[in-house]
Each structure stands twice: as structure tokens, then as C-alpha cells.
């Protein structure tokens, strides 16, 4: 599995034929690492040794796939936390040593996958020189978006600080990566269908999140209710009740006796969205119900203005984005 990842597409046609795919220059290796992963430091474990590096890289959505090895025993460290990136190292050959908790470390073997969020914790690795990896670089923000979309909350840093090995051998995770890389098309070094590319991006992030949470002991299905503090849940209740009156976030925060900034931070940490986004969604949901239940003769503008909408053009754009149709279409369908 993954023997031909980033070498050939699913039909066996070579990928990346017009790209530099190997090098014996440290400057080229370092430039590649900066592009594929983030700014970091590398040094050979034997002074003066040149690399014999494999450097292949392709993007699937917002995820960077790289087939990589230094080709000589090397230490990499000082991974830049400001990059905001997560790295998943999938060992195909040889061995790579990674840190775990405390002073512990682990040597990943072929079939092992290791994940670290370099935006939340420090990282280093030692490659034995005979190794080869298929690495993934995933923006932390993308993982937060996935958690919020599927589970309604963003895990706290206790999860993201976990450095761990998951999967082994012919795991379902590696099968997913194999499917993703076989979906590439050598004619343009991309997946031809943007929708398929988006779905693969989503599947990878979701499967990684489940593996990560499972190893960290986090129940994603119950985590939202357990994680969110009382004031976030109470704000949600108030916004659902008063959405028709178009309250402001500051007014909601005032009723709870907290600042708007505190409320915004709570929503960001535990829901992955802003309170304004939540309130806007509640208002649009209420508007849709009102349009579906409209009496004969009622108009979109009258119904919308009664619910506090002033800029009808902006409202229509947001409504279409959320529901895939205009308010007028909803009103007409409700009368059929």
C-alpha cells in the first residue's frame, strides 16, 4: 500500500514528471521543507554528509501531500509554531524517531502514522537515513472547521497537544490515503473534479480527528455539551428565543453579565464559530419558517423587515448561501 503514492496516478501514469523530485543539495532540501511543512532547522547527524533526498509534493484541497526522505541520518527541529500547521508522518520505509509525552520518544516503523500539531506543541524528529515517508501537512484551522462542522464544537488544546502514533500495518487510515493519492490525475497533477477533491479533504480531516480523539480519550459525540461552559449554552438559548427581535451580541452578553469579548472567545473555543454567526443562522432559520408559514398577500420585504432586516440585498445573499434558494422562492413554494 502507498508504494506508488505521488509516483503514479491510479492508471499508472507518472506524476510530477516536470518537477524537481530529488536533490543532493541541502539548500534545496531546506527550501522544500519550508514550502511543504513550515520553517524548520535540519542538520545531518554526520557532519559534512550530503543528502540524497526525495522531494515530491502535491496538494489535495488544502492538504499538502509529500513523499520525502533526507537520504542520510538527519535531525529536524525548531518547527515554526506560527505556521499553524499539523504534520502527519506516515512511515513507508525505515524508521523515524519522534517525541511523545514528557521525555518519551518512539520510533515509527513502516505502517505507523504519527501526528503532531506544531502550532500547539514543540516537535523534532530523527530520521535514520534509510527512511521514506508520505507526509501530510494540514492547517490547524482546517481541523477546527471540520470539528465544528461535524460535532458542533472545537476541542480544547488538550487534544491538539497530544503527540501520538496511530494505525499500523494495513490500517483503514492508510487505505484512505492510498485512495486519495490514486485519485490524482497525472495530466494536471491534481484531482480533476473539485467536488471529489473537497470530499477527500473532508474524509481525511474527519478520519484523522477520530483517530486523534480516540487515542486521546475524547468522546466527540458528547464533547460539545461537556466542553462548553454554562454561559455559552445560555447564550445559545437566549439567541434562539429572541432571534426574531434581532438582538445584538453585546445585548446577549449583557444579559449574561459578561463582556462581548468573553462571549466571542467562548464561542470560538467551544463552538468554532462566532456568536454573531450563530445568531445570524438563528435569524435566518426563523425567517425561513415565517416565509413558509406566510399568509396570502404577505411579501418577503414585509416579513423580513418585521424581523429586523434592513438591508434586504445582503439578507438575500446570506439566505441563498444558507438554503440554496432565494427568500422569494421559499415564499412561493410555501403557497403551493
Amino acid at each position: 500500500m502507498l508504494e506508488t503514492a505521488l509516483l503514479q496516478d491510479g492508471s499508472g501514469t507518472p506524476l510530477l514528471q516536470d518537477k524537481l523530485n530529488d536533490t543532493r543539495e541541502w539548500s534545496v532540501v531546506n527550501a522544500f521543507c519550508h514550502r511543504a511543512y513550515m520553517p524548520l532547522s535540519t542538520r545531518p547527524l554526520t557532519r559534512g554528509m550530503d543528502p540524497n533526498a526525495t522531494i515530491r509534493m502535491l496538494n489535495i484541497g488544502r492538504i499538502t501531500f509529500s513523499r520525502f526522505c533526507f537520504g542520510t541520518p538527519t535531525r529536524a527541529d525548531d518547527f515554526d509554531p506560527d505556521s499553524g500547521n499539523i504534520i502527519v508522518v506516515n512511515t513507508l520505509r525505515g524508521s523515524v524517531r519522534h517525541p511523545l509525552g514528557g521525555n518519551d520518544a518512539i520510533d515509527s516503523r513502516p505502517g505507523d502514522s504519527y501526528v503532531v500539531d506544531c502550532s500547539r506543541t514543540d516537535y523534532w524528529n530523527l530520521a535514520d537515513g534509510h527512511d521514506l515517508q508520505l507526509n501530510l501537512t494540514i492547517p490547524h484551522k482546517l481541523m477546527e472547521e471540520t470539528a465544528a462542522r461535524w460535532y458542533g464544537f472545537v476541542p480544547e488544546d488538550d487534544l491538539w497537544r497530544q503527540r501520538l502514533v496511530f494505525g499500523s500495518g494495513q490500517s483503514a487510515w492508510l487505505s484512505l490515503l492510498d485512495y486519495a493519492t490514486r485519485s490524482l490525475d497525472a495530466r494536471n497533477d491534481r484531482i480533476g473534479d473539485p467536488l471529489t477533491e473537497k470530499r477527500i479533504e473532508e474524509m481525511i480531516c474527519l478520519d484523522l480527528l477520530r483517530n486523534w480523539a480516540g487515542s486521546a480519550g475524547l468522546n466527540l459525540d458528547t464533547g460539545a455539551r461537556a466542553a462548553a461552559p454554562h454561559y455559552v449554552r445560555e447564550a445559545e438559548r437566549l439567541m434562539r428565543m429572541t432571534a426574531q427581535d434581532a438582538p445584538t451580541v453585546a445585548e446577549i452578553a449583557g444579559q449574561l453579565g459578561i463582556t462581548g469579548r468573553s462571549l466571542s472567545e467562548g464561542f470560538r473555543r467551544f463552538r468554532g464559530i462566532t456568536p454573531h454567526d450563530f445568531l445570524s443562522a438563528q435569524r435566518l432559520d426563523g425567517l425561513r419558517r415565517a416565509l413558509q408559514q406566510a399568509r396570502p398577500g404577505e411579501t418577503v420585504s414585509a416579513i423580513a423587515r418585521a424581523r429586523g432586516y434592513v438591508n434586504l440585498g445582503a439578507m438575500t445573499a446570506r439566505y441563498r448561501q444558507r438554503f440554496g434558494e432565494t427568500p422569494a422562492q421559499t415564499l412561493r413554494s410555501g403557497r403551493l
Side-chain angles (χ1 to χ4, degrees):
M1 191 183 300
L2 296 173
E3 292 88 351
T4 62
L6 303 197
L7 298 178
Q8 300 174 359
D9 65 11
S11 64
T13 305
L15 289 160
L16 297 166
Q17 291 190 89
D18 59 340
K19 303 292 194 304
L20 177 64
N21 292 313
D22 55 75
T23 183
R24 298 190 67 89
E25 299 290 334
W26 280 111
S27 60
V28 177
V29 171
N30 289 327
F32 174 85
C33 288
H34 285 211
R35 291 196 312 275
Y37 312 119
M38 66 197 73
L40 55 90
S41 298
T42 62
R43 55 186 179 277
L45 297 184
T46 302
R47 181 173 295 183
M49 285 289 293
D50 292 329
N52 186 17
T54 295
I55 50 171
R56 287 174 167 260
M57 177 175 65
L58 281 174
N59 290 329
I60 297 180
R62 287 173 282 177
I63 300 174
T64 299
F65 281 69
S66 54
R67 188 181 182 98
F68 179 75
C69 70
F70 288 108
T72 190
T74 303
R75 179 182 176 93
D77 52 25
D78 292 333
F79 286 72
D80 181 13
D82 292 335
S83 66
N85 285 335
I86 293 165
I87 296 179
V88 187
V89 180
N90 305 284
T91 302
L92 305 182
R93 182 182 71 212
S95 175
V96 181
R97 178 163 295 180
H98 312 272
L100 288 177
N103 296 321
D104 293 336
I106 190 167
D107 294 324
S108 62
R109 304 295 181 181
D112 289 340
S113 298
Y114 173 94
V115 60
V116 58
D117 188 339
C118 295
S119 74
R120 296 299 189 272
T121 189
D122 64 304
Y123 176 58
W124 54 264
N125 64 50
L126 293 172
D128 69 6
H130 303 289
D131 56 290
L132 177 66
Q133 301 92 43
L134 180 71
N135 298 328
L136 275 64
T137 307
I138 305 175
H140 175 92
K141 182 64 175 176
L142 178 57
M143 290 296 291
E144 284 192 344
E145 291 172 3
T146 302
R149 185 161 52 252
W150 282 85
Y151 296 103
F153 80 112
V154 176
E156 296 189 68
D157 282 354
D158 287 348
L159 171 69
W160 309 121
R161 292 193 185 107
Q162 292 275 348
R163 299 173 293 198
L164 54 94
V165 172
F166 66 97
S168 61
Q170 305 296 308
S171 67
W173 164 254
L174 294 183
S175 296
L176 175 57
L177 300 188
D178 189 60
Y179 165 70
T181 54
R182 289 179 184 275
S183 298
L184 292 163
D185 188 336
R187 289 173 295 181
N188 56 10
D189 290 340
R190 300 284 296 186
I191 293 176
D193 178 10
L195 182 57
T196 299
E197 186 165 317
K198 181 66 177 177
R199 286 175 175 170
I200 288 176
E201 174 192 274
E202 183 93 339
M203 286 191 296
I204 288 172
C205 290
L206 186 58
D207 201 61
L208 176 60
L209 181 62
R210 287 171 173 165
N211 275 290
W212 209 339
S215 297
L218 173 64
N219 187 327
L220 292 167
D221 294 315
T222 61
R225 185 55 54 183
H230 174 75
Y231 71 86
V232 171
R233 301 196 302 272
E234 186 64 11
E236 290 173 329
R237 185 186 70 81
L238 288 173
M239 285 189 274
R240 290 191 187 98
M241 288 178 54
T242 63
Q244 181 173 347
D245 302 324
T248 66
V249 171
E251 288 170 343
I252 295 294
Q255 292 185 58
L256 297 172
I258 61 175
T259 65
R261 182 174 181 177
S262 295
L263 185 58
S264 294
E265 178 62 19
F267 267 78
R268 187 198 68 78
R269 290 185 61 194
F270 297 102
R271 294 296 188 250
I273 59 174
T274 68
H276 181 269
D277 290 337
F278 183 88
L279 180 57
S280 294
Q282 297 304 311
R283 293 187 63 206
L284 288 171
D285 289 347
L287 174 61
R288 183 174 179 80
R289 288 192 296 271
L291 291 168
Q292 291 171 333
Q293 300 165 10
R295 296 187 298 272
E298 286 190 294
T299 64
V300 169
S301 60
I303 294 171
R305 292 188 190 283
R307 302 186 72 86
Y309 288 102
V310 177
N311 187 334
L312 298 184
M315 177 276 292
T316 299
R318 291 194 296 270
Y319 190 98
R320 184 197 291 271
Q321 183 179 30
R322 183 165 177 80
F323 301 116
E325 64 181 16
T326 66
Q329 289 172 322
T330 302
L331 182 64
R332 284 196 298 269
S333 64
R335 291 173 175 168
L336 295 179

